[in-house]
Amino acid sequence: MIPVLAIDGPSGSGKGAVGMAVAERLGWHYLDSGAVYRALGLAASWAQLACDDESRLCALAGELDLRFVREAGAAEPQVYVNGRECGVALRGPEAADAASRVAALPGVRQALLDRQRAARRPPGLVADGRDMGSHVFPDAFLKVFLTASPEVRAERRFNQLKTKGFGVTLPRLIQEIRERDERDANRAVAPLKPAQGAVVLDSSAIGLQDVIDRVLAMVSRSS
Ligand code: C5P
């Protein structure tokens, strides 16, 4: 059985940075499932589909083509959604908002399930998202639910987005994060909440390296 480490949590909890670093240390693959939902959100807005048009969105999800191409020496990979280079747009607040709207539709989640499960390849996978431990990889050997206060998460997102050149303000971001958390936590299917058996880790007052070390220690204890 190929081992999966599931890292779930809300936006700005640090799961992306932690997941990538842990995957690199272990030499495992890394799945950014949020990017899949963001890509679908962008593709839907390009196709001018309403975020509740479930049958069309399911069809779009079924044929979604998401590719990360890392050129030699580049810090960040280029991202292609359905053959179109989308630059930093995938990381922006509009893609996040569209992602969380399309992600609330059960048919869309189902249509994206096999694609996410296909990321489970030897020697192992670190999967980051909202429902990795609860739905996509319920047999993960270790489930971590990473969280932090809304203020800390908004500040982290603010710094990330500013670095990428997005014009955002902190109060607006706090508001957007609250709305997205609310939608993610209250949807009917795969709501944002710790999976059964998950270790909940609050990173509000812990530095990134410390969180990475704690997760790596949990992995050694569980293997
Ligand atoms: O993690 P990220 O902020 O990139 O995710 C964007 C949105 O995609 C989330 O707000 C959530 O609605 C959705 N998502 C999800 N399930 C996942 C990953 C992301 O519903 N496993």
Side-chain angles (χ1 to χ4, degrees):
M1 214 29 179
I2 302 163
V4 176
L5 162 61
I7 306 184
D8 289 303
S11 168
S13 57
K15 59 192 166 28
V18 172
M20 266 187 280
V22 169
E24 200 170 315
R25 272 288 289 278
L26 298 172
W28 288 7
H29 299 280
Y30 168 68
L31 169 67
D32 173 1
S33 63
V36 179
Y37 286 95
R38 285 169 181 263
L40 182 63
L42 274 186
S45 81
W46 294 340
Q48 300 188 331
L49 293 187
C51 284
D52 59 355
D53 188 343
E54 191 159 359
S55 63
R56 286 211 176 96
L57 285 166
C58 286
L60 199 63
E63 60 201 28
L64 185 71
D65 174 22
L66 171 64
R67 264 174 295 145
F68 293 88
V69 180
R70 191 182 289 272
E71 306 240 317
E76 301 263 344
Q78 284 188 306
V79 186
Y80 292 86
V81 175
N82 293 347
R84 181 164 157 183
E85 211 278 302
C86 64
V88 289
L90 191 77
R91 296 284 146 215
E94 279 160 26
D97 184 68
S100 111
R101 290 176 194 279
V102 299
L105 304 172
V108 164
R109 302 198 74 82
Q110 186 62 36
L112 294 176
L113 208 50
D114 287 347
R115 172 191 301 270
Q116 295 172 82
R117 288 187 174 150
R120 184 175 199 164
R121 281 177 286 129
L125 176 71
V126 178
D128 133 17
R130 303 289 187 290
D131 61 343
M132 297 296 99
S134 56
H135 287 86
V136 183
F137 303 107
D139 62 344
F141 76 99
L142 175 63
K143 302 175 186 183
V144 177
F145 189 85
L146 206 54
T147 187
S149 70
E151 292 72 21
V152 168
R153 294 191 285 114
E155 203 167 322
R156 286 181 189 159
R157 287 286 297 147
F158 178 69
N159 291 329
Q160 283 166 359
L161 290 172
K162 240 179 39 183
T163 313
K164 291 191 189 306
F166 288 99
V168 285
T169 66
L170 195 53
R172 175 94 198 271
L173 214 52
I174 292 177
Q175 175 70 16
E176 281 175 7
I177 280 194
R178 287 221 160 96
E179 283 172 15
R180 194 142 64 94
D181 282 358
E182 169 98 6
R183 205 179 302 129
D184 289 349
N186 292 309
R187 65 185 172 215
V189 181
L192 169 68
K193 64 168 188 202
Q196 219 182 353
V199 180
V200 179
L201 189 53
D202 188 326
S203 71
S204 304
I206 316 176
L208 177 61
Q209 191 54 51
D210 203 356
V211 179
I212 295 168
D213 291 342
R214 287 187 197 204
V215 173
L216 283 167
M218 287 183 223
V219 170
S220 318
R221 281 198 298 272
S222 315
S223 336

